[in-house]
């Protein structure tokens, strides 16, 4: 495969994003591992529930990151205004979270349904970590802004440093100061604010060639507020579809049996690993497709197909071995092997959706992202409920594969029929 200048630019943007994506789950894993050494299953369950609550809350706010990237990539001359508007929006949302933290905490715990013992710890964890909302949401915006400015290295450095700070702070608070779940929460909170502070500190460097105060005051060039509203609305509703599918996938396995929940959870790591890599290429597409370029699209798909071949081969040859690394329960591994062929289809089924997501964000074709995800989500639920009485857990996996394929197919059709007009 000949490496062109486009390929080098794609890799320059994609590789740091991949590293960043891999480090993101470590914040939750660090908390979980520390609690695992100081508490019983009640504390472990509380961290799992608490982390899930914040993961969903912040995932729903993902439009702050993607919207900032798309707007920045499309209007580089008005980068300061984009940053200003999205930071203001992030701050307003964060203030809303803080004001409504008590009803949000009650609703989250009610929806998750933990035991009374776990719920008590979750309340403590939530009450501390919610104060990280301004830091996390502003960091979403600044990360999107960095990517839109074709800088994926800064988010990578921030993410790695943030995890190191979280580890050190949590260890000191828990083992040094003898705190329990409050120490874990405070360590996470300190890491979140440290990451936001690092991002703020990098803004002057990236705008050094301009005048930072002037750029931050600049008006005009990014469209009316109604346009920003439509972009954010489309991305938010699309994220709701993603959350619905992912949460239902987990709950559907849990309703069948603990064994099936374990099987599906293990096999979904095949999806997670592939998504970490493909999100890196999607981020490259977000930064490079601000002004439409068929050449960029072709090169992104070349790398996408290479990843499909690589992951499919690795998963096929090492599938059982990888599952055995995740658990030593032979019964779970044996049960998972019956559904492994579905997991092997994930790279082929999902590649186009990941690549097109990046392209659509870069071109601000957010309506197409919403339409494709809504159609795919509807198909997911229809297929599952029609086929589950006959196929059982296989119906769940078939629905997931169809969902991934449909997202890519609908996005392709939308780009062909609407892309040129939308980009002009």
């Amino acid at each position: 495969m000949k490496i062109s200048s486009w390929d080098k630019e794609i890799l320059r943007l994609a590789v740091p994003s991949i590293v960043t994506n891999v480090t993101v789950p470590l914040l939750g894993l660090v908390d979980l591992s520390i609690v695992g050494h100081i508490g019983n299953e009640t504390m472990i369950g509380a961290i799992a529930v608490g982390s899930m609550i914040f993961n969903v809350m912040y995932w729903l706010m993902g439009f702050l990151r993607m919207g900032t990237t798309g707007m920045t990539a499309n209007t580089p001359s008005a980068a300061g205004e984009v940053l200003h508007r999205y930071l203001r929006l992030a701050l307003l949302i964060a203030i809303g979270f803080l004001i409504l933290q008590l009803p949000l905490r009650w609703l989250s715990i009610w929806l998750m349904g933990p035991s009374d013992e776990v719920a008590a710890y979750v309340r403590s964890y939530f009450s501390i970590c919610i104060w990280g909302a301004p830091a996390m949401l502003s960091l979403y915006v600044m990360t999107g802004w960095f990517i839109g400015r074709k800088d994926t290295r800064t988010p990578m450095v921030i993410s790695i440093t943030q995890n190191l700070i979280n580890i050190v702070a949590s260890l000191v608070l828990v083992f040094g100061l003898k705190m329990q779940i409050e120490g874990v929460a405070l360590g996470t909170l300190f890491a979140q604010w440290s990451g936001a502070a690092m991002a703020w500190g990098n803004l002057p460097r990236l705008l050094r060639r301009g005048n930072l105060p002037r750029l931050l005051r600049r008006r005009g060039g990014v469209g009316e507020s109604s346009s920003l509203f439509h972009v954010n609305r489309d991305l938010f509703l699309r994220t709701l579809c993603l959350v619905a599918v992912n949460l239902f996938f987990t709950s559907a396995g849990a309703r069948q049996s603990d064994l099936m929940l374990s099987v599906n959870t293990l096999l979904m790591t095949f999806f997670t690993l592939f998504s970490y890599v493909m999100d890196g290429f999607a981020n490259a597409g977000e930064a490079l497709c601000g002004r439409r370029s068929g050449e960029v699209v072709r090169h992104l798909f070349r790398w996408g197909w290479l990843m499909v071949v690589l992951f499919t081969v690795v998963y096929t040859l090492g599938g059982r071995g990888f599952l055995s690394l995740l658990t030593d329960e032979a019964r779970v591994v044996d049960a998972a092997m019956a559904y492994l062929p579905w997991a092997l289809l994930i790279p082929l089924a999902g590649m186009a959706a990941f690549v097109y997501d990046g392209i659509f964000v870069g071109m601000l074709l957010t309506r197409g992202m919403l339409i494709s995800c809504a159609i795919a989500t509807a198909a997911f639920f229809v297929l599952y409920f029609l086929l589950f009485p006959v196929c059982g857990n296989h119906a769940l996996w078939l629905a997931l594969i169809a969902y991934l394929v449909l997202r890519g197919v609908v996005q392709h059709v939308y780009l062909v029929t609407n892309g040129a007009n939308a980009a002009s």
Side-chain angles (χ1 to χ4, degrees), residues 263 270 301 361:
V263 165
F270 288 80
F301 269 95
V361 168

Side-chain angles (χ1 to χ4, degrees), residues 74 290-293 360 363-368 412-424:
N74 272 269
R291 288 169 291 180
R292 189 183 183 191
S293 173
F360 275 46
M363 295 172 63
L364 287 181
L365 297 176
T366 55
R367 179 56 55 84
H412 176 76
V413 173
Y414 188 93
L415 185 63
V416 170
T417 57
N418 298 281
N421 292 332
S424 61

Side-chain angles (χ1 to χ4, degrees), residues 148-218:
R149 301 271 292 180
K150 299 181 176 60
D151 176 14
T152 55
R153 183 180 179 276
T154 298
M156 177 190 72
V157 173
I158 291 172
S159 183
I160 292 173
T161 306
Q162 192 178 27
N163 279 283
L164 292 175
I165 291 173
N166 185 42
I167 293 171
V168 173
S170 296
L171 288 175
V172 170
L173 291 168
V174 172
F175 295 107
L177 300 182
K178 306 302 180 183
M179 301 178 72
Q180 293 190 327
I181 200 166
E182 293 83 3
V184 174
L186 286 170
T188 298
L189 181 65
F190 185 65
Q192 291 169 341
W193 278 103
S194 298
M198 286 184 62
W200 276 108
N202 275 278
L203 292 180
R205 175 181 65 81
L206 293 175
L207 287 172
R208 189 172 296 156
R209 285 175 293 182
N211 183 290
L212 179 60
R214 177 177 61 81
L215 282 173
L216 288 177
R217 291 195 303 267
R218 180 172 180 170

Side-chain angles (χ1 to χ4, degrees), residues 63-281:
F63 68 88
L64 292 171
R65 206 280 299 161
M66 290 185 289
T68 305
T69 299
M71 295 299 297
T72 303
N74 272 269
T75 55
S77 63
E81 184 190 350
V82 172
L83 181 63
H84 180 272
R85 287 193 178 190
Y86 272 95
L87 281 175
R88 185 170 57 186
L89 177 60
L91 181 60
L92 289 173
I93 295 173
I95 291 173
F97 281 170
L98 295 178
I99 293 173
L100 298 173
Q101 61 178 283
L102 292 180
L104 280 174
R105 188 182 69 181
W106 175 86
L107 178 62
S108 299
I109 293 175
W110 178 75
L111 289 173
M112 298 294 290
S115 66
D116 291 341
E117 293 81 3
V118 170
Y121 283 120
V122 172
R123 291 187 190 96
S124 297
Y125 183 86
F126 184 98
S127 297
I128 293 172
C129 287
I130 190 64
W131 293 97
M136 287 298 294
L137 296 185
S138 63
L139 187 55
Y140 271 27
V141 171
M142 288 184 279
T143 297
W145 192 80
F146 293 144
I147 295 173
R149 301 271 292 180
K150 299 181 176 60
D151 176 14
T152 55
R153 183 180 179 276
T154 298
M156 177 190 72
V157 173
I158 291 172
S159 183
I160 292 173
T161 306
Q162 192 178 27
N163 279 283
L164 292 175
I165 291 173
N166 185 42
I167 293 171
V168 173
S170 296
L171 288 175
V172 170
L173 291 168
V174 172
F175 295 107
L177 300 182
K178 306 302 180 183
M179 301 178 72
Q180 293 190 327
I181 200 166
E182 293 83 3
V184 174
L186 286 170
T188 298
L189 181 65
F190 185 65
Q192 291 169 341
W193 278 103
S194 298
M198 286 184 62
W200 276 108
N202 275 278
L203 292 180
R205 175 181 65 81
L206 293 175
L207 287 172
R208 189 172 296 156
R209 285 175 293 182
N211 183 290
L212 179 60
R214 177 177 61 81
L215 282 173
L216 288 177
R217 291 195 303 267
R218 180 172 180 170
R219 294 292 181 267
V222 298
E224 300 297 327
S225 297
S226 60
S227 299
L228 293 177
F229 171 78
H230 292 314
V231 168
N232 295 335
R233 179 202 60 195
D234 292 342
L235 292 173
F236 177 77
L237 293 176
R238 167 192 173 268
T239 303
L240 280 179
C241 293
L242 296 177
V243 171
V245 170
N246 280 272
L247 291 182
F248 183 84
F249 188 92
T250 300
S251 65
R255 285 196 302 271
Q256 295 178 64
S257 67
D258 289 345
L259 175 62
M260 205 54 65
L261 173 61
S262 300
V263 165
N264 289 343
T265 301
L266 290 179
L267 289 175
M268 277 299 285
T269 57
F270 288 80
F271 174 83
T272 302
L273 291 173
F274 182 69
S275 70
Y276 287 159
V277 174
M278 292 310 303
D279 274 342
F281 289 100

